[in-house]
Amino acid sequence: MDFKVQGMTCGGCARGVTNALQRVDANAVVNIDLARKTVSVNSTADVQQLKQAIEKAGFAVTQ
């Protein structure tokens, strides 16, 4: 699953998003591209749960 995420600007942001997603699915593989503001997640969790986790971490999911 790929998400376009606004507000990620640094490694700390990337860690926050990764941690939030891994709280939903501890086995999730998360790849973040700060330049493109994209998050790719390999997970068995529900897409809505993952999106909500990113939003609860303080970031806007735009796609």
Side-chain angles (χ1 to χ4, degrees):
M1 292 162 260
D2 295 320
F3 299 98
K4 185 82 170 170
V5 179
Q6 296 301 309
M8 294 188 306
T9 59
C10 65
C13 297
R15 279 190 299 281
V17 169
T18 299
N19 290 340
L21 292 168
Q22 289 179 335
R23 280 193 291 278
V24 174
D25 177 0
N27 296 315
V29 177
V30 181
N31 292 301
I32 296 178
D33 184 334
L34 289 174
R36 293 184 181 178
K37 303 207 181 313
T38 58
V39 177
S40 296
V41 185
N42 185 355
S43 172
T44 58
D46 180 70
V47 174
Q48 281 303 108
Q49 287 180 310
L50 297 171
K51 181 179 175 183
Q52 289 173 351
I54 295 169
E55 291 172 343
K56 284 182 182 177
F59 301 94
V61 177
T62 59
Q63 178 183 356

Coordinates of all heavy atoms in Angstrom, one line a residue:
M1 N 0.8 -1.2 0.0 CA 0.0 0.0 0.0 C 0.9 1.2 0.0 O 1.9 1.3 0.7 CB -0.9 0.0 1.2 CG -1.9 -1.1 1.3 SD -2.6 -1.3 2.9 CE -1.6 -2.8 3.4
D2 N 0.5 2.2 -0.8 CA 1.2 3.4 -0.8 C 0.4 4.6 -0.4 O -0.8 4.7 -0.8 CB 1.7 3.7 -2.3 CG 2.7 2.7 -2.7 OD1 3.6 2.3 -1.9 OD2 2.7 2.3 -3.9
F3 N 1.0 5.5 0.4 CA 0.3 6.7 0.9 C 1.1 7.9 0.5 O 2.3 7.9 0.6 CB 0.1 6.6 2.4 CG -0.7 5.4 2.9 CD1 0.0 4.3 3.4 CD2 -2.1 5.5 2.9 CE1 -0.7 3.2 3.9 CE2 -2.8 4.4 3.4 CZ -2.1 3.3 3.8
K4 N 0.4 9.0 0.2 CA 1.0 10.3 0.0 C 0.7 11.0 1.3 O -0.4 11.1 1.7 CB 0.4 11.0 -1.2 CG 1.0 12.3 -1.5 CD 2.2 12.1 -2.4 CE 2.7 13.4 -2.9 NZ 4.0 13.3 -3.5
V5 N 1.8 11.4 2.0 CA 1.7 12.0 3.3 C 2.3 13.4 3.4 O 3.5 13.6 3.0 CB 2.4 11.1 4.4 CG1 2.3 11.6 5.8 CG2 1.8 9.7 4.3
Q6 N 1.5 14.3 3.8 CA 2.0 15.7 3.9 C 2.5 16.0 5.3 O 2.0 15.4 6.3 CB 0.9 16.7 3.7 CG 0.3 16.6 2.2 CD 1.4 16.9 1.2 OE1 2.1 17.9 1.3 NE2 1.6 16.0 0.3
G7 N 3.6 16.8 5.4 CA 4.1 17.2 6.7 C 5.4 16.5 7.2 O 6.0 16.8 8.2
M8 N 5.8 15.4 6.4 CA 7.0 14.7 6.8 C 8.2 15.5 6.2 O 8.3 15.7 5.0 CB 7.0 13.3 6.2 CG 6.0 12.4 6.7 SD 6.3 10.7 6.1 CE 6.3 10.9 4.4
T9 N 9.1 15.9 7.1 CA 10.2 16.7 6.6 C 11.6 16.2 7.1 O 12.6 16.7 6.6 CB 10.1 18.2 7.1 OG1 10.0 18.2 8.6 CG2 8.8 18.8 6.6
C10 N 11.6 15.3 8.0 CA 12.9 14.8 8.5 C 12.9 13.4 9.0 O 11.8 12.7 9.0 CB 13.3 15.7 9.7 SG 12.1 15.6 11.1
G11 N 14.0 12.9 9.4 CA 14.1 11.6 9.9 C 13.2 11.3 11.1 O 12.7 10.2 11.3
G12 N 13.0 12.3 12.0 CA 12.2 12.2 13.1 C 10.7 11.9 12.7 O 10.0 11.1 13.3
C13 N 10.3 12.6 11.7 CA 9.0 12.4 11.1 C 8.8 11.0 10.6 O 7.8 10.3 10.9 CB 8.7 13.4 10.0 SG 8.7 15.1 10.5
A14 N 9.8 10.5 9.9 CA 9.8 9.2 9.3 C 9.7 8.1 10.4 O 9.0 7.2 10.3 CB 11.0 9.0 8.4
R15 N 10.5 8.3 11.5 CA 10.5 7.4 12.6 C 9.1 7.4 13.3 O 8.6 6.3 13.6 CB 11.5 7.7 13.6 CG 12.9 7.2 13.3 CD 13.9 7.3 14.4 NE 14.1 8.7 14.8 CZ 14.9 9.6 14.2 NH1 15.5 9.2 13.1 NH2 15.0 10.8 14.6
G16 N 8.5 8.6 13.4 CA 7.1 8.7 14.0 C 6.1 7.9 13.2 O 5.3 7.2 13.7
V17 N 6.2 8.1 11.9 CA 5.2 7.4 11.0 C 5.5 5.9 11.0 O 4.5 5.1 11.2 CB 5.3 7.9 9.6 CG1 4.5 7.0 8.6 CG2 4.8 9.4 9.5
T18 N 6.7 5.5 11.0 CA 7.1 4.1 11.0 C 6.6 3.4 12.3 O 6.0 2.4 12.3 CB 8.6 3.9 10.9 OG1 9.0 4.4 9.6 CG2 9.0 2.4 11.0
N19 N 6.9 4.1 13.4 CA 6.4 3.6 14.8 C 4.9 3.5 14.8 O 4.4 2.5 15.4 CB 7.0 4.4 15.9 CG 8.5 4.3 16.1 OD1 9.1 3.4 15.6 ND2 9.1 5.3 16.7
A20 N 4.2 4.5 14.3 CA 2.7 4.4 14.4 C 2.2 3.3 13.5 O 1.3 2.5 14.0 CB 2.2 5.8 13.8
L21 N 2.8 3.0 12.4 CA 2.3 1.9 11.5 C 2.7 0.6 12.2 O 1.9 -0.4 12.1 CB 3.0 2.0 10.1 CG 2.4 3.2 9.3 CD1 3.3 3.4 8.1 CD2 1.0 3.0 8.9
Q22 N 3.8 0.5 12.8 CA 4.2 -0.8 13.4 C 3.5 -1.1 14.7 O 3.5 -2.2 15.2 CB 5.7 -0.8 13.6 CG 6.4 -1.0 12.2 CD 7.9 -1.0 12.2 OE1 8.5 -0.5 13.2 NE2 8.5 -1.7 11.2
R23 N 2.8 -0.1 15.3 CA 1.9 -0.3 16.4 C 0.6 -1.0 15.9 O 0.0 -1.8 16.7 CB 1.6 1.0 17.2 CG 2.7 1.4 18.1 CD 2.2 2.5 19.1 NE 2.0 3.8 18.4 CZ 2.9 4.7 18.1 NH1 4.2 4.4 18.4 NH2 2.6 5.8 17.6
V24 N 0.2 -0.8 14.7 CA -0.9 -1.4 14.1 C -0.5 -2.8 13.7 O -1.3 -3.8 13.9 CB -1.5 -0.6 12.9 CG1 -2.6 -1.4 12.2 CG2 -1.9 0.8 13.3
D25 N 0.6 -3.0 13.0 CA 1.1 -4.3 12.6 C 2.6 -4.3 12.9 O 3.4 -3.7 12.1 CB 0.8 -4.4 11.1 CG 1.4 -5.7 10.5 OD1 2.0 -6.5 11.3 OD2 1.2 -6.0 9.3
A26 N 3.0 -5.1 13.9 CA 4.4 -5.1 14.3 C 5.3 -5.7 13.2 O 6.5 -5.4 13.2 CB 4.5 -6.0 15.5
N27 N 4.7 -6.4 12.3 CA 5.5 -7.0 11.2 C 5.5 -6.2 9.9 O 6.1 -6.6 8.9 CB 5.0 -8.4 10.9 CG 5.2 -9.4 12.1 OD1 6.3 -9.4 12.7 ND2 4.2 -10.1 12.4
A28 N 4.9 -5.0 9.9 CA 4.8 -4.2 8.7 C 6.2 -3.8 8.3 O 7.1 -3.4 9.1 CB 4.0 -3.0 9.0
V29 N 6.4 -3.8 7.0 CA 7.7 -3.3 6.4 C 7.3 -1.9 5.8 O 6.5 -1.8 5.0 CB 8.2 -4.2 5.3 CG1 9.4 -3.6 4.7 CG2 8.5 -5.6 5.9
V30 N 8.0 -0.9 6.3 CA 7.7 0.5 6.0 C 8.9 1.1 5.3 O 10.0 1.1 5.8 CB 7.4 1.3 7.3 CG1 7.0 2.8 6.9 CG2 6.3 0.7 8.0
N31 N 8.6 1.7 4.1 CA 9.6 2.5 3.4 C 9.1 3.9 3.1 O 8.0 4.1 2.6 CB 9.9 1.8 2.0 CG 10.6 0.5 2.2 OD1 11.7 0.4 2.8 ND2 10.0 -0.6 1.8
I32 N 9.9 4.9 3.5 CA 9.5 6.3 3.4 C 10.5 7.0 2.5 O 11.7 6.9 2.7 CB 9.5 6.9 4.8 CG1 8.4 6.2 5.6 CG2 9.2 8.4 4.7 CD1 8.2 6.7 7.1
D33 N 9.9 7.8 1.6 CA 10.7 8.7 0.7 C 10.3 10.1 1.1 O 9.2 10.6 0.7 CB 10.3 8.4 -0.7 CG 11.2 9.2 -1.7 OD1 11.6 10.3 -1.3 OD2 11.4 8.7 -2.8
L34 N 11.2 10.7 1.9 CA 10.9 12.1 2.3 C 10.8 13.1 1.2 O 9.9 14.0 1.2 CB 11.9 12.6 3.3 CG 11.9 11.9 4.7 CD1 13.1 12.4 5.6 CD2 10.6 12.2 5.4
A35 N 11.6 12.9 0.2 CA 11.6 13.9 -1.0 C 10.2 13.8 -1.7 O 9.7 14.9 -2.1 CB 12.7 13.5 -1.9
R36 N 9.7 12.6 -1.9 CA 8.4 12.5 -2.6 C 7.2 12.5 -1.6 O 6.1 12.5 -2.0 CB 8.4 11.2 -3.4 CG 9.4 11.2 -4.5 CD 9.3 10.0 -5.3 NE 10.3 10.0 -6.4 CZ 10.5 9.1 -7.2 NH1 9.7 8.0 -7.1 NH2 11.4 9.2 -8.2
K37 N 7.5 12.5 -0.3 CA 6.5 12.5 0.7 C 5.6 11.3 0.6 O 4.3 11.3 0.6 CB 5.7 13.8 0.7 CG 6.6 15.0 0.9 CD 5.9 16.1 1.6 CE 6.7 17.3 1.8 NZ 8.0 17.1 2.3
T38 N 6.2 10.1 0.3 CA 5.4 8.9 0.2 C 5.8 7.8 1.2 O 7.0 7.8 1.7 CB 5.6 8.2 -1.2 OG1 7.0 8.0 -1.4 CG2 5.1 9.1 -2.3
V39 N 4.8 7.0 1.6 CA 5.0 5.9 2.5 C 4.5 4.7 1.9 O 3.4 4.6 1.5 CB 4.3 6.2 3.9 CG1 4.4 5.0 4.8 CG2 4.7 7.5 4.5
S40 N 5.4 3.7 1.7 CA 5.0 2.4 1.2 C 5.0 1.4 2.4 O 5.9 1.3 3.1 CB 6.0 1.9 0.2 OG 5.9 2.8 -1.0
V41 N 3.9 0.7 2.5 CA 3.7 -0.3 3.6 C 3.4 -1.6 3.1 O 2.4 -1.8 2.3 CB 2.6 0.2 4.6 CG1 2.5 -0.7 5.8 CG2 2.8 1.7 5.0
N42 N 4.1 -2.6 3.5 CA 3.8 -4.0 3.2 C 3.3 -4.6 4.5 O 4.0 -4.8 5.5 CB 5.1 -4.8 2.8 CG 4.8 -6.2 2.4 OD1 3.6 -6.7 2.5 ND2 5.7 -6.9 1.9
S43 N 1.9 -4.8 4.6 CA 1.3 -5.2 5.8 C 0.0 -5.9 5.5 O -0.6 -5.7 4.4 CB 0.9 -3.9 6.6 OG 0.1 -4.2 7.7
T44 N -0.4 -6.7 6.5 CA -1.7 -7.4 6.3 C -2.8 -6.7 7.0 O -4.0 -7.1 7.0 CB -1.6 -8.8 7.0 OG1 -1.2 -8.7 8.3 CG2 -0.6 -9.7 6.2
A45 N -2.5 -5.5 7.6 CA -3.5 -4.7 8.3 C -4.4 -4.0 7.3 O -4.1 -3.8 6.2 CB -2.8 -3.7 9.2
D46 N -5.6 -3.6 7.8 CA -6.5 -2.9 7.0 C -6.0 -1.5 6.6 O -5.4 -0.8 7.4 CB -7.8 -2.8 7.8 CG -8.9 -2.0 7.1 OD1 -9.4 -2.6 6.1 OD2 -9.2 -0.9 7.5
V47 N -6.3 -1.1 5.4 CA -5.8 0.1 4.8 C -6.3 1.3 5.7 O -5.5 2.2 6.0 CB -6.2 0.3 3.4 CG1 -5.9 1.7 2.9 CG2 -5.6 -0.7 2.5
Q48 N -7.5 1.3 6.1 CA -8.0 2.3 7.0 C -7.3 2.4 8.3 O -7.1 3.5 8.8 CB -9.5 2.2 7.2 CG -10.4 2.6 6.0 CD -10.1 4.1 5.6 OE1 -9.5 4.4 4.6 NE2 -10.6 5.0 6.4
Q49 N -7.0 1.3 8.9 CA -6.3 1.3 10.1 C -4.9 2.0 10.0 O -4.4 2.7 10.8 CB -6.1 -0.1 10.7 CG -7.3 -0.7 11.2 CD -7.0 -2.1 11.7 OE1 -6.4 -2.9 11.0 NE2 -7.4 -2.4 12.9
L50 N -4.2 1.7 8.9 CA -2.9 2.2 8.6 C -3.0 3.7 8.4 O -2.2 4.5 8.9 CB -2.3 1.5 7.4 CG -2.0 0.0 7.6 CD1 -1.5 -0.6 6.3 CD2 -0.9 -0.2 8.7
K51 N -4.0 4.1 7.6 CA -4.2 5.6 7.3 C -4.5 6.3 8.6 O -3.9 7.4 8.9 CB -5.4 5.7 6.4 CG -5.7 7.2 6.0 CD -6.8 7.2 5.0 CE -7.2 8.7 4.7 NZ -8.3 8.8 3.8
Q52 N -5.3 5.8 9.5 CA -5.7 6.4 10.8 C -4.4 6.5 11.6 O -4.2 7.5 12.4 CB -6.8 5.6 11.5 CG -8.1 5.8 10.8 CD -9.2 4.9 11.4 OE1 -8.9 4.1 12.2 NE2 -10.4 5.1 11.0
A53 N -3.6 5.5 11.6 CA -2.3 5.5 12.4 C -1.4 6.7 12.0 O -0.9 7.4 12.8 CB -1.6 4.2 12.3
I54 N -1.3 6.9 10.7 CA -0.5 8.0 10.2 C -1.1 9.3 10.6 O -0.4 10.2 11.1 CB -0.4 7.9 8.6 CG1 0.4 6.7 8.2 CG2 0.3 9.2 8.1 CD1 0.3 6.4 6.7
E55 N -2.4 9.4 10.5 CA -3.1 10.7 10.9 C -3.0 10.9 12.4 O -2.8 12.1 12.8 CB -4.6 10.6 10.4 CG -4.6 10.7 8.9 CD -6.0 10.5 8.3 OE1 -6.9 10.0 9.1 OE2 -6.2 10.9 7.2
K56 N -3.1 9.9 13.2 CA -3.0 10.1 14.7 C -1.5 10.5 15.0 O -1.3 11.1 16.1 CB -3.3 8.8 15.4 CG -4.8 8.5 15.5 CD -5.2 7.3 16.2 CE -6.6 7.0 16.2 NZ -7.0 5.8 16.9
A57 N -0.6 10.1 14.2 CA 0.8 10.6 14.4 C 1.0 12.0 14.0 O 2.1 12.6 14.2 CB 1.8 9.7 13.6
G58 N 0.0 12.7 13.5 CA 0.1 14.1 13.2 C 0.3 14.5 11.8 O 0.6 15.6 11.5
F59 N 0.1 13.5 10.8 CA 0.3 13.8 9.4 C -0.9 13.6 8.6 O -1.8 12.8 9.0 CB 1.5 12.9 8.9 CG 2.7 13.0 9.7 CD1 3.0 12.2 10.8 CD2 3.6 14.0 9.4 CE1 4.2 12.4 11.5 CE2 4.8 14.2 10.1 CZ 5.1 13.4 11.2
A60 N -1.0 14.4 7.5 CA -2.2 14.3 6.7 C -1.9 13.3 5.5 O -0.9 13.4 4.8 CB -2.5 15.7 6.1
V61 N -2.9 12.4 5.4 CA -2.8 11.4 4.2 C -3.6 12.0 3.1 O -4.8 12.2 3.3 CB -3.3 10.0 4.6 CG1 -3.2 9.1 3.4 CG2 -2.5 9.5 5.8
T62 N -3.0 12.3 2.0 CA -3.7 13.0 0.9 C -4.0 12.0 -0.3 O -4.6 12.4 -1.2 CB -2.9 14.2 0.3 OG1 -1.6 13.7 -0.1 CG2 -2.7 15.2 1.4
Q63 N -3.6 10.8 -0.2 CA -3.9 9.8 -1.2 C -3.9 8.4 -0.7 O -3.2 8.1 0.2 CB -2.9 10.0 -2.3 CG -3.0 9.0 -3.5 CD -1.9 9.2 -4.5 OE1 -1.0 10.0 -4.3 NE2 -1.9 8.3 -5.5

